Amino acid sequence: MPTSFFTGTDYALSLPMILLSLFGLGVLIIDLMLPAEWKRWNAITALIGLGFSTAAVMRIQLGHFADGRPLVGSFAYLSNVGGQVVGSVLMDGFSIYFFYLFLLGAAIAILMSAHYLEIEHEHHGEFYALILFSVVGMMCMASGYDLVLLFIGLELMAISTYVLVGFLRRDKRSNEAALKYLLLGAFSSGIFAYGLSLLYGLSGSTNLQVIAQALQRHYSANPKDPIAIVAMITTATGLLFKVAAVPFHQWAPDAYEGAPTSVTGYMSVAVKSAAWAMLLRIFLWGLYPLRPVYLPLLVFVSVATMTVGNFAALSQNNLKRLLAYSSISHVGYMLLGLIASDNITNKTGIQGILVYLLVYTFMNLGAFAVVTSLRRRDIIGDEIDDIAGLYSKAPTEAVLMLLFLLSLAGIPPLAGFYGKYFIFLSLIQTQHYVLASLAVLYAVLGLYYYMRIGSAMFMRPATDPEPVAISPGMQVALAVTAIGTVGIGILPEFFIRAAGWSLGIQQAGTSLLGFLR
Amino acid sequence: MVPLSYYLVLSAVLFACGVAGFLMKRNIITIFMCIELMLNGVNLAFVAFAAHWHRLSGQVFVFFVMVVAAAEAAVGLAIIISVFRTRETLNVDRVNLLKL
């Protein structure tokens, strides 16, 4: 039993979260002193906070992983070798990879938001503070190794996001989206918490590793233990709600459509990645002994998700709703990776999910950045008619949007291809040929609705002649997402290796730690 | 000494009441109360298990769930007020601008 509960190592390992919380509070206080025309400084403060937090993550990555030995604190544990872990925070490559992903998504979302909020006349510092707080929650979700921390992280992220969705408080649609998201989000959290209580009852501990050991004993004693199965189903329901998998997807299109466009982008990448991080952590670490039980469930959910997502997207005329359904179908593909790989005998699928989430961050935020920039004085700019003729008004943006859409469809020279490639590869490696062919067919279907947007942009005349104005922040966001989408497509090596490193895969060639350093 | 199973059955019933109310009620405030009921079912299960295992961690979890429920209620009521301001109704069936 350790005598002190929070040692120096613990501070070092939780520094990224502490810094973000401090900057979030700082933004709230600074906002009170800023005159209305200086509100932009809030965005800059938040970006600086993200920068400091990134530096802290790098410090953990380079400083603590350098000698390959785990540092032991009492609150947070660093692990890149096996062994008994009983802390609340597990800082391994997996956590670090997701930390970078969240910071990237948040930074791009902030760049997209500044000008958009000015147009909406809702430019308040709270927006940026909430984004920073939600990133803290996400970090807890990715690195949590204890049910308490996972639950608190989930709720910190979710509650911040409820407010962000309803941020346009005078707008009926934003209110309604926030209400639906809140009710269904709280409902799913309740179900999730019930699952956690049963897991605690089975193991007598809130630590994922102890839970896994207890479940292993239960499963070998009685594979059909009803309590274990109910615990698994309720926990899985809560998690699948958060990633918006069918049949728990109903909230996603509504919340995505009504939310401020930049928040929709943020929700579809960072919030979704965080939910995925927690889902993988619980399914592959905590619930791993029940894998034979949850596998059929996942196959059903994944096929249903791909089917509903792709078919519902075909008939949408609202861009945000279409992208919401497309994001549901992407979740279906990612679930296939979890079905194929168990992270012990085969890691390709999990690596594929990590690569997928990274490229998805770039291409989906890019697409949402273009939709955000269509917002003008009196036009919300989220119908397909609003993007018609974009090529004649803003050729660069139209070409970029086409790149993002092709990447979302998974066309080879672009980043989206590698996400799908690894998922399908893992399915073939594990002899899931039926699922693989089904997924490929659905990917073809996806091309149709993405190209509907494409043909509207290039083939149809513009509905109104007003030019599209792109603010400097948006230009940076578009440039970063475009470089990410094309860059990962052309030079995928680094990113694939980074995902492999985060799962502790031994890789041939240059030493990966040296490569990342 | 009341056996553990009694507590668990009560917590499951509370939770099921919450779920049923969430699915059937139409008033937003009532729906919100049903969610609180679900969380209270969870709390009861945690406390019962904590007593069963003679460990404090379950009771600590209950405090966190209570904090989360309070925060959710604060944000939730704020959202409900802003919905009421723009629509003058608290019936979920009439909050239907976004097609389902």
Side-chain angles (χ1 to χ4, degrees):
Chain A
M1 207 59 184
T3 45
S4 70
F5 281 97
F6 220 79
T7 62
T9 317
D10 293 328
Y11 278 110
L13 293 184
S14 45
L15 194 60
M17 302 172 215
I18 295 173
L19 281 172
L20 281 180
S21 308
L22 288 178
F23 269 89
L25 295 172
V27 168
L28 284 179
I29 294 169
I30 294 169
D31 180 53
L32 295 174
M33 301 180 236
L34 285 178
E37 63 270 23
W38 283 25
K39 293 288 186 195
R40 236 157 232 227
W41 284 95
N42 288 325
I44 294 166
T45 317
L47 284 175
I48 294 172
L50 290 174
F52 271 101
S53 182
T54 313
V57 181
M58 281 174 136
R59 186 168 166 276
I60 298 173
Q61 185 194 347
L62 304 183
H64 294 275
F65 280 109
D67 53 358
R69 272 183 300 125
L71 272 163
V72 176
S74 45
F75 167 71
Y77 280 73
L78 188 79
S79 144
N80 54 352
V81 294
Q84 185 85 9
V85 188
V86 285
S88 288
V89 173
L90 176 65
M91 203 62 75
D92 52 3
F94 183 85
S95 315
I96 303 244
Y97 182 87
F98 273 103
F99 280 18
Y100 284 129
L101 209 56
F102 303 149
L103 291 164
L104 177 77
I108 298 174
I110 287 176
L111 287 172
M112 280 161 56
S113 300
H115 184 63
Y116 176 76
L117 291 175
E118 276 170 16
I119 300 177
E120 300 279 5
H121 301 294
E122 295 282 358
H123 205 198
H124 309 294
E126 288 85 352
F127 183 89
Y128 304 106
L130 285 167
I131 287 208
L132 294 189
F133 291 144
S134 68
V135 177
V136 177
M138 292 172 194
M139 288 180 163
C140 294
M141 289 164 76
S143 63
Y145 206 60
D146 191 284
L147 299 185
V148 181
L149 195 73
L150 284 171
F151 186 69
I152 289 296
L154 172 72
E155 289 300 311
L156 178 55
M157 178 197 81
I159 293 175
S160 311
T161 323
Y162 303 148
V163 185
L164 285 174
V165 169
F167 207 74
L168 310 177
R169 61 202 157 125
R170 294 185 203 89
D171 179 38
K172 275 188 174 186
R173 302 207 306 167
S174 179
N175 279 331
E176 183 180 330
L179 180 72
K180 287 181 173 168
Y181 188 32
L182 168 87
L183 290 179
L184 289 171
F187 181 64
S188 69
S189 300
I191 297 178
F192 181 62
Y194 192 70
L196 296 188
S197 79
L198 292 181
L199 287 178
Y200 175 71
L202 286 170
S203 62
S205 166
T206 50
N207 186 277
L208 279 187
Q209 186 162 342
V210 182
I211 288 173
Q213 289 160 354
L215 285 178
Q216 184 69 59
R217 281 196 304 278
H218 275 271
Y219 186 72
S220 45
N222 176 12
K224 291 201 165 53
D225 185 6
I227 305 262
I229 288 176
V230 172
M232 187 276 292
I233 287 178
T234 43
T235 314
T237 306
L239 290 169
L240 292 172
F241 241 114
K242 296 292 173 195
V243 295
V246 177
F248 315 111
H249 66 292
Q250 291 294 347
W251 60 271
D254 287 344
Y256 281 26
E257 185 184 344
T261 315
S262 55
V263 173
T264 312
Y266 180 63
M267 276 167 71
S268 70
V269 298
V271 173
K272 184 157 283 182
S273 311
W276 262 104
M278 194 168 82
L279 190 146
L280 290 176
R281 188 71 97 185
I282 289 185
F283 271 119
L284 294 176
W285 274 264
L287 291 180
Y288 184 76
L290 296 179
R291 191 169 167 81
V293 187
Y294 70 65
L295 216 48
L297 193 85
L298 282 184
V299 172
F300 167 74
V301 168
S302 157
V303 172
T305 307
M306 286 190 296
T307 312
V308 172
N310 280 308
F311 279 103
L314 289 177
S315 58
Q316 299 302 322
N317 284 320
N318 181 297
L319 285 173
K320 278 151 90 177
R321 241 183 141 74
L322 194 156
L323 287 171
Y325 279 112
S326 103
S327 111
I328 291 174
S329 69
H330 284 288
V331 168
Y333 299 128
M334 285 185 241
L335 280 171
L336 290 176
L338 183 58
I339 292 166
S341 303
D342 59 1
N343 204 25
I344 291 183
T345 52
N346 181 324
K347 293 194 177 204
T348 320
I350 309 300
Q351 190 180 7
I353 294 175
L354 297 191
V355 173
Y356 209 128
L357 286 168
L358 176 71
V359 300
Y360 193 67
T361 301
F362 283 114
M363 59 197 186
N364 214 38
L365 266 179
F368 273 108
V370 174
V371 179
T372 307
S373 67
L374 295 175
R375 176 77 173 95
R376 292 190 290 283
R377 268 175 290 108
D378 46 354
I379 300 168
I380 303 172
D382 59 356
E383 297 293 327
I384 285 199
D385 291 340
D386 294 329
I387 208 170
L390 187 67
Y391 183 66
S392 58
K393 285 194 288 189
T396 325
E397 264 202 323
V399 171
L400 286 180
M401 183 71 176
L402 189 67
L403 275 180
F404 298 136
L405 292 173
L406 287 173
S407 176
L408 281 166
I411 302 294
L414 296 164
F417 168 71
Y418 288 99
K420 288 205 172 68
Y421 170 76
F422 277 99
I423 303 276
F424 296 162
L425 179 70
S426 70
L427 284 172
I428 291 165
Q429 279 176 352
T430 50
Q431 278 102 35
H432 290 89
Y433 299 118
V434 179
L435 284 176
S437 18
L438 198 65
V440 172
L441 286 177
Y442 279 129
V444 178
L445 199 61
L447 198 57
Y448 167 74
Y449 53 80
Y450 292 125
M451 282 311 103
R452 263 184 75 209
I453 307 180
S455 79
M457 285 192 305
F458 285 86
M459 305 295 185
R460 282 166 55 186
T463 44
D464 66 320
E466 195 176 338
V468 176
I470 305 171
S471 65
M474 185 62 82
Q475 283 172 359
V476 178
L478 280 173
V480 172
T481 48
I483 290 170
T485 309
V486 180
I488 299 178
I490 295 170
L491 300 164
E493 184 69 14
F494 174 83
F495 300 94
I496 294 166
R497 276 174 173 272
W501 169 82
S502 73
L503 293 170
I505 297 175
Q506 299 296 321
Q507 299 179 78
T510 50
S511 152
L512 197 76
L513 270 176
F515 185 59
L516 282 171
R517 229 175 276 160
Chain B
M1 178 76 188
V2 184
L4 175 68
S5 55
Y6 284 38
Y7 291 106
L8 294 185
V9 169
L10 178 61
S11 102
V13 168
L14 275 178
F15 184 79
C17 285
V19 172
F22 179 88
L23 297 173
M24 289 192 286
K25 289 289 174 186
R26 281 287 152 268
N27 183 294
I28 298 172
I29 303 274
T30 321
I31 292 177
F32 212 68
M33 284 160 65
C34 291
I35 293 172
E36 301 292 317
L37 197 59
M38 285 167 65
L39 288 177
N40 282 334
V42 171
N43 283 349
L44 186 62
F46 263 113
V47 173
F49 281 130
H52 171 73
W53 288 102
H54 300 292
R55 291 197 189 148
L56 277 178
S57 47
Q59 302 194 18
V60 172
F61 200 111
V62 171
F63 278 110
F64 281 103
V65 172
M66 274 156 45
V67 169
V68 162
E72 226 162 42
V75 168
L77 291 175
I79 289 174
I80 291 172
I81 287 174
S82 70
V83 167
F84 187 74
R85 274 195 188 141
T86 51
R87 283 167 207 269
E88 313 259 310
T89 177
L90 279 181
N91 188 327
V92 271
D93 289 332
R94 293 175 59 193
V95 183
N96 55 1
L97 209 57
L98 304 167
K99 55 179 186 280
L100 205 68

